[in-house]
C-alpha cells in the first residue's frame, strides 16, 4: 500500500493514469502538452525541452480535493513528482463557489533522487477544502516527468479485501483477455494481497487455467442477476470485505482499481460504494453516464460532458460531490461496495434493472471518482424489442416493489404508456408487441420472474415476434433512401404529432417520406416525424433494418395496451402487495442459494469429504 521508495507513512491515494491502446488513447483525457514535449506511453515518461508546457488539468488526472475530503476527512496531503530537470510549477484549485486560485506558483529543481514533494495540507482547511486540484509544469531546461502521486500521511480506516466479480456468457475471448490483464496488473501492484477476481461462467464454456488470484466458477445461466449474485456469494464465502461488479471485457484502466481501493480504505462511512462512470466506445471524448437517477426511467447524469473541455470537467466534478437523492444508483459495469451492507441481493430480472434495485434497496453511500470509468458499446445500438421488454418490466417492478418508489397505479402505468408513445411514431411495432408482453408478464406477479429466471422461454418468444427490427448485412448503401441529417421543420413536427406520425391520415404509407437515419439518431424521435418508412444504419454502416407504417399493426398493439391498462388498474392493489411482500424473499441469500443449487453443491462436497 505504501508508495515504493518512500517512507511508509506516505500512502498514494491517486497515481497517474496514462492513455492505453484498447481502452482509450484520447490524450486530452489524461494530459496536455504545448511546445517541444514528447510523450512515451510505453515508458510512461514525458520529456520536455525548455519552454515546453505539461498540464494535468484533465478528467483522469486532476485530484478532486472535495471528494476525498468529504468522503475521508484527510488531515494531510502532498503531491509527489518523479522526474528530473528545472521547472516552473503551478498548482491550481478550482472550487465550486468561487473563481480558481493558483495555490502554488514557484520554480523547482528536482533533487538527485528524482523525487520532489509539495506539501498541500493547508488546502484541506478553510478557506479551502473544496474544489478540484491540478498542476502544470513549464520546463526551464530539458527535463522529464515519469511519476505523479497524490499522497497522505493519514492512516487508513480499514484494509479492504476486494473481490472482483465478473460475469461472462460465451465471450471466451473477452474474458480471457480480462483475466490476463488483471493477472499482470495484480502481480506488480501493491494490491496483490488484497484483491482477487471471481469469474462466473454462465455459459460454462470458458477453458482456461486460472492464474494466481483468479477463480473460475461454472454457473447456470440466470443472466447478470444470477451471475453477479453468484460472484457476491462466492466473495462473501471467501471473506472479502468488498465486492466489485465488473463487465467481462474489463474496459477499464487497471489504475481504477487502486483509486477505488484507496477511497474505500480511507472512507469515514463504512457504507461507501464507488460507481464507475461509463463512456461510449463510439465517442470516447464524452461522458455517457457518471452515476444515474431512477424514477420512472433511468436518467444518466452528466451525459455529453466534453472531457476535453476543462471547464465542463470541473463543473461536472464540482457538481458530483454534492448530495445525491435516494434514487441515485451505480451501473454494474463497475460498482464496488461493502459486502456486509448488501442486505438485499439482486432481484431475478435476468438482465436490465438488477443494478438499479440493488443500489436502491441497499443502504449504500454511493460516490463517483474521476478517471474511474468503463468504456462500453453504445446502449442506443443495443436497443431491441428484447431490451425494451426487459427495461419496461424492471421499471414497473421497481415501483411496485420498493415503497420509496411508490407512485400509485397511474404513475406505474404512465411508464408503460411512455414506452408505447416513444415507439409508436417510430413504427417499431415489434417493440410495441414486446412492451405489451412486458406489461402482461409484470401482471403475473413476482413469481413470474422466479419461474422465468433463465429467460429461456421469453427469449424464444421475443425472437419469434421480432420480424422487422433485426439487423441485416448491408452490401451497398446506394439503394437506401436519402439520409435525414436534421429534424423536419417545426410545422411538420406539429402536424405529425397531432396525427401520431400519420396514423390518423388515410394513405400515409404512400404520402409519408422514406428516409435513412444514422445510428446516432436512432433514439431521437424528432428525426422520425413525417416518415412512413425508416431505414436505420448501425455505427459501422455495415448493417441495417427497415420499418414501415402499418395502421393494422399499430392499432392491434394499441387495442392490446387498452385491455392491459384496464386489467392493470383493476388489479393494482393486489399486485403491488404481492411485489412488496415478495421482494425480501426473492432478494435473499436463501432464495439465491437454492436457485443456484449451492445448497445441493455444498451437500455433495460434504459427502465427498466424508
Amino acid at each position: 500500500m505504501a508508495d515504493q521508495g518512500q517512507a511508509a507513512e506516505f500512502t498514494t491515494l491517486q497515481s497517474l493514469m496514462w492513455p492505453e491502446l484498447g481502452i482509450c488513447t484520447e490524450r486530452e483525457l489524461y494530459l496536455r502538452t504545448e511546445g517541444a514535449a514528447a510523450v512515451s506511453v510505453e515508458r510512461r515518461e514525458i520529456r520536455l525541452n525548455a519552454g515546453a508546457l505539461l498540464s494535468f488539468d484533465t478528467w483522469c488526472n486532476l485530484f478532486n480535493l472535495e471528494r476525498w475530503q468529504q468522503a475521508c476527512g484527510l488531515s494531510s496531503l502532498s503531491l509527489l513528482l518523479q522526474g528530473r530537470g528545472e521547472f516552473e510549477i503551478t498548482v491550481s484549485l478550482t472550487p465550486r463557489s468561487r473563481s480558481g486560485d493558483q495555490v502554488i506558483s514557484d520554480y523547482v529543481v528536482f533533487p538527485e533522487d528524482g523525487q520532489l514533494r509539495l506539501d498541500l495540507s493547508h488546502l484541506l482547511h478553510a478557506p479551502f477544502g473544496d474544489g478540484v486540484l491540478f498542476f502544470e509544469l513549464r520546463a526551464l531546461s530539458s527535463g522529464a516527468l515519469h511519476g505523479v502521486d497524490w499522497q497522505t500521511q493519514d492512516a487508513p480506516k480499514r484494509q479492504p479485501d476486494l473481490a472482483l466479480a465478473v460475469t461472462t456468457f460465451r465471450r471466451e475471448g473477452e474474458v480471457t483477455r480480462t483475466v490476463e490483464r488483471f493477472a499482470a496488473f495484480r502481480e506488480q501492484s501493491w494490491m496483490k494481497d488484497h484483491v482477487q477476481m471471481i469469474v462466473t461462467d454462465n455459459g460454462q464454456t470458458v477453458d482456461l487455467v486460472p492464474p494466481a488470484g483468479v477463480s473460475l466458477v461454472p454457473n447456470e445461466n440466470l443472466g447478470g442477476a444470477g451471475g453477479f449474485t453468484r460472484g457476491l456469494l462466492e466473495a462473501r464465502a471467501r471473506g472479502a470485505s468488498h465486492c466489485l461488479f465488473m463487465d467481462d471485457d474489463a474496459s477499464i484502466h487497471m489504475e481504477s482499481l487502486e483509486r477505488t481501493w484507496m477511497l474505500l480504505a480511507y472512507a469515514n462511512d463504512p457504507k461507501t460504494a464507488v460507481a464507475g462512470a461509463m463512456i461510449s466506445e463510439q465517442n470516447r471524448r464524452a461522458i455517457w453516464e457518471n452515476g444515474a437517477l431512477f424514477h420512472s426511467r433511468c436518467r444518466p447524469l452528466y451525459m455529453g460532458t466534453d472531457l476535453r473541455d476543462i471547464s465542463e470537467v470541473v463543473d461536472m466534478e464540482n457538481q458530483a460531490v454534492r448530495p445525491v437523492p435516494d434514487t441515485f444508483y451505480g451501473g454494474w459495469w463497475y460498482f464496488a461496495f461493502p459486502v456486509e451492507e448488501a442486505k438485499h441481493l439482486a432481484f431475478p430480472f435476468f438482465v436490465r434493472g438488477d443494478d438499479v434495485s440493488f443500489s436502491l434497496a441497499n443502504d449504500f453511500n454511493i460516490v463517483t471518482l474521476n478517471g474511474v470509468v468503463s468504456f462500453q458499446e453504445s446502449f442506443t445500438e443495443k436497443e431491441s424489442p428484447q431490451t425494451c421488454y426487459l427495461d419496461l418490466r424492471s421499471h414497473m417492478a421497481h415501483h411496485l416493489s420498493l415503497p420509496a418508489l411508490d407512485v400509485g397505479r397511474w404513475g406505474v402505468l404512465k411508464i408503460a404508456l411512455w414506452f408505447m408513445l416513444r415507439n409508436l411514431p417510430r413504427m417499431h411495432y415489434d417493440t410495441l408487441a414486446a412492451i405489451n408482453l412486458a406489461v402482461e408478464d409484470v401482471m403475473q406477479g413476482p413469481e413470474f420472474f422466479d419461474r422465468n429466471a433463465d429467460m429461456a422461454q421469453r427469449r424464444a418468444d421475443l425472437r419469434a415476434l421480432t420480424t422487422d427490427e433485426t439487423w441485416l448485412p448491408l452490401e451497398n448503401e446506394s439503394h437506401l433512401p436519402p439520409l435525414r441529417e436534421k429534424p423536419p421543420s417545426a410545422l411538420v413536427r406539429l402536424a405529425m404529432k397531432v396525427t401520431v406520425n400519420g396514423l390518423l391520415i388515410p394513405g400515409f404509407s404512400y404520402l409519408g417520406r422514406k428516409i435513412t437515419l444514422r445510428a446516432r439518431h436512432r433514439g431521437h424521435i424528432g428525426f422520425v416525424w413525417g416518415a412512413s418508412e425508416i431505414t436505420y444504419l448501425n455505427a459501422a454502416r455495415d448493417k441495417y433494418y427497415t420499418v414501415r407504417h402499418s395502421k393494422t399493426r399499430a392499432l392491434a398493439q394499441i387495442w392490446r395496451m387498452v385491455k392491459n391498462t384496464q386489467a392493470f388498474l383493476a388489479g393494482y392493489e393486489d399486485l403491488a402487495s404481492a411485489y412488496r411482500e415478495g421482494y425480501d424473499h426473492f432478494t435473499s441469500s436463501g432464495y439465491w442459494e437454492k436457485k443456484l443449487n449451492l445448497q445441493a453443491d455444498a451437500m455433495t462436497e460434504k459427502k465427498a469429504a466424508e
Side-chain angles (χ1 to χ4, degrees):
M1 185 173 66
D3 180 73
Q4 63 258 69
Q6 294 300 304
E9 65 267 28
F10 284 105
T11 300
T12 298
L13 301 174
Q14 177 180 305
S15 58
L16 205 56
M17 250 180 209
W18 294 80
E20 183 177 352
L21 185 63
I23 304 297
C24 180
T25 57
E26 295 284 349
R27 184 181 289 187
E28 289 177 288
L29 273 62
Y30 306 89
L31 56 90
R32 307 178 204 271
T33 59
E34 291 181 14
V39 179
S40 173
V41 173
E42 288 72 20
R43 297 188 184 93
R44 298 204 163 192
E45 183 178 70
I46 305 110
R47 294 187 179 182
L48 303 96
N49 285 339
L53 182 68
L54 171 63
S55 177
F56 291 98
D57 56 341
T58 62
W59 185 60
C60 287
N61 286 316
L62 61 79
F63 185 82
N64 194 325
L65 178 68
E66 188 169 0
R67 164 63 70 220
W68 285 91
Q69 187 65 344
Q70 185 184 83
C72 308
L74 300 175
S75 61
S76 63
L77 179 68
S78 64
L79 174 61
L80 177 68
L81 307 179
Q82 300 175 54
R84 65 180 186 277
E86 186 176 359
F87 297 88
E88 177 190 22
I89 185 168
T90 303
V91 179
S92 298
L93 174 65
T94 305
R96 175 166 20 100
S97 55
R98 60 185 185 279
S99 60
D101 293 303
Q102 288 189 354
V103 293
I104 291 180
S105 181
D106 204 353
Y107 60 86
V108 294
V109 179
F110 276 88
E112 289 186 6
D113 66 0
Q115 300 193 6
L116 177 69
R117 182 179 301 280
L118 302 175
D119 185 11
L120 303 175
S121 299
H122 61 289
L123 301 180
L124 301 172
H125 311 291
F128 306 110
D130 64 337
V132 300
L133 282 168
F134 52 83
F135 73 97
E136 64 181 26
L137 296 171
R138 185 178 298 278
L140 303 179
S141 62
S142 61
L145 183 75
H146 54 262
V148 176
D149 296 301
W150 299 88
Q151 298 188 328
T152 186
Q153 290 179 283
D154 295 12
K157 312 294 191 304
R158 64 193 64 81
Q159 289 208 351
D161 285 312
L162 181 63
L164 280 58
V166 173
T167 297
T168 188
F169 178 74
R170 296 181 182 174
R171 283 164 50 95
E172 298 84 0
E174 288 84 351
V175 77
T176 297
R177 286 191 292 273
T178 292
V179 168
E180 291 172 350
R181 286 187 69 226
F182 171 75
F185 160 79
R186 180 179 179 274
E187 186 60 30
Q188 55 80 40
S189 174
W190 51 260
M191 287 180 66
K192 181 176 181 179
D193 296 331
H194 301 287
V195 64
Q196 61 177 304
M197 176 180 283
I198 301 166
V199 178
T200 303
D201 179 15
N202 278 359
Q204 302 185 36
T205 57
V206 177
D207 183 18
L208 63 82
V209 178
V214 179
S215 302
L216 183 63
V217 181
N219 196 55
E220 181 184 355
N221 183 26
L222 301 183
F228 283 116
T229 296
R230 179 65 184 272
L232 173 53
L233 292 173
E234 293 285 340
R236 182 184 290 171
R238 298 171 194 204
S241 64
H242 291 75
C243 187
L244 168 57
F245 289 165
M246 192 169 69
D247 278 349
D248 58 2
D249 58 3
S251 293
I252 64 166
H253 292 294
M254 287 295 166
E255 288 85 351
S256 295
L257 301 179
E258 296 182 340
R259 291 189 186 182
T260 299
W261 193 96
M262 278 298 169
L263 189 105
L264 295 174
Y266 278 85
N268 288 326
D269 186 352
K271 297 179 180 180
T272 298
V274 177
M278 196 267 269
I279 293 176
S280 170
E281 291 181 346
Q282 292 183 9
N283 183 8
R284 291 184 171 94
R285 301 170 180 175
I287 285 287
W288 180 275
E289 176 178 315
N290 192 18
L293 303 178
F294 176 83
H295 196 274
S296 299
R297 59 183 183 268
C298 299
R299 294 174 172 83
L301 297 179
Y302 311 108
M303 178 180 280
T305 297
D306 188 343
L307 297 176
R308 300 167 298 173
D309 186 332
I310 186 57
S311 63
E312 291 191 28
V313 168
V314 168
D315 183 62
M316 176 179 71
E317 284 299 307
N318 280 333
Q319 292 298 318
V321 299
R322 303 187 72 177
V324 295
D326 292 339
T327 54
F328 186 81
Y329 74 92
W332 279 1
W333 48 79
Y334 191 104
F335 187 69
F337 58 92
V339 171
E340 186 177 346
E341 297 302 326
K343 311 299 185 186
H344 292 275
L345 306 185
F347 190 83
F349 283 124
F350 191 73
V351 294
R352 298 263 180 162
D354 38 14
D355 50 2
V356 175
S357 63
F358 187 74
S359 288
L360 302 188
N362 290 303
D363 188 21
F364 299 131
N365 175 20
I366 305 174
V367 301
T368 58
L369 268 178
N370 61 292
V372 176
V373 61
S374 179
F375 295 84
Q376 299 276 315
E377 297 176 30
S378 171
F379 276 17
T380 300
E381 195 156 316
K382 289 180 180 179
E383 186 177 293
S384 68
Q386 178 169 298
T387 62
C388 286
Y389 164 86
L390 293 166
D391 281 342
L392 176 55
R393 69 177 198 164
S394 68
H395 286 18
M396 295 179 73
H398 296 329
H399 284 284
L400 289 165
S401 302
L402 303 175
L405 292 180
D406 182 18
V407 291
R409 68 187 69 204
W410 282 105
V412 179
L413 182 61
K414 284 178 183 178
I415 301 170
L417 297 179
W418 181 85
F419 270 72
M420 283 287 291
L421 292 174
R422 180 175 177 269
N423 286 281
L424 186 60
R426 298 169 66 223
M427 298 170 288
H428 278 55
Y429 306 124
D430 295 347
T431 295
L432 293 183
I435 288 168
N436 271 305
L437 183 60
V439 175
E440 291 157 6
D441 287 347
V442 167
M443 288 194 292
Q444 295 186 50
E447 292 77 16
F448 169 83
F449 292 89
D450 175 44
R451 293 193 303 270
N452 293 271
D454 63 358
M455 268 283 290
Q457 182 59 52
R458 276 296 176 259
R459 280 181 284 161
D461 296 337
L462 290 162
R463 280 194 300 269
L465 67 79
T466 304
T467 57
D468 294 335
E469 299 165 42
T470 301
W471 293 107
L472 302 172
L474 177 62
E475 302 294 338
N476 187 352
E477 289 189 28
S478 61
H479 71 281
L480 298 180
L483 277 169
R484 177 173 279 183
E485 299 287 4
K486 61 181 181 179
S489 68
L491 184 61
V492 170
R493 295 200 303 272
L494 177 60
M496 289 298 100
K497 289 176 182 179
V498 170
T499 63
V500 197
N501 205 24
L503 189 62
L504 304 181
I505 299 177
F508 187 73
S509 295
Y510 304 100
L511 298 174
R513 297 289 186 105
K514 296 181 180 181
I515 65 172
T516 298
L517 292 180
R518 301 180 191 273
R520 66 175 178 268
H521 298 145
R522 188 177 176 217
H524 292 256
I525 196 169
F527 283 80
V528 310
W529 300 115
S532 62
E533 179 181 304
I534 305 175
T535 296
Y536 291 92
L537 293 174
N538 69 341
R541 298 179 72 150
D542 59 0
K543 294 181 181 179
Y544 77 103
Y545 70 85
T546 300
V547 294
R548 296 175 177 86
H549 179 87
S550 170
K551 288 180 171 57
T552 300
R553 295 185 68 187
L555 292 174
Q557 294 305 322
I558 291 172
W559 178 241
R560 184 178 172 187
M561 179 56 77
V562 169
K563 292 190 291 184
N564 285 333
T565 295
Q566 294 172 337
F568 178 81
L569 293 175
Y572 172 79
E573 293 298 339
D574 290 340
L575 188 64
S577 296
Y579 273 95
R580 289 176 188 174
E581 291 171 6
Y583 190 82
D584 286 350
H585 169 67
F586 291 117
T587 60
S588 67
S589 296
Y591 167 78
W592 277 108
E593 287 169 359
K594 183 178 180 181
K595 196 72 177 174
L596 295 168
N597 294 315
L598 300 187
Q599 295 169 335
D601 291 347
M603 289 297 296
T604 301
E605 291 175 6
K606 182 178 179 181
K607 289 179 180 179
E610 292 174 349

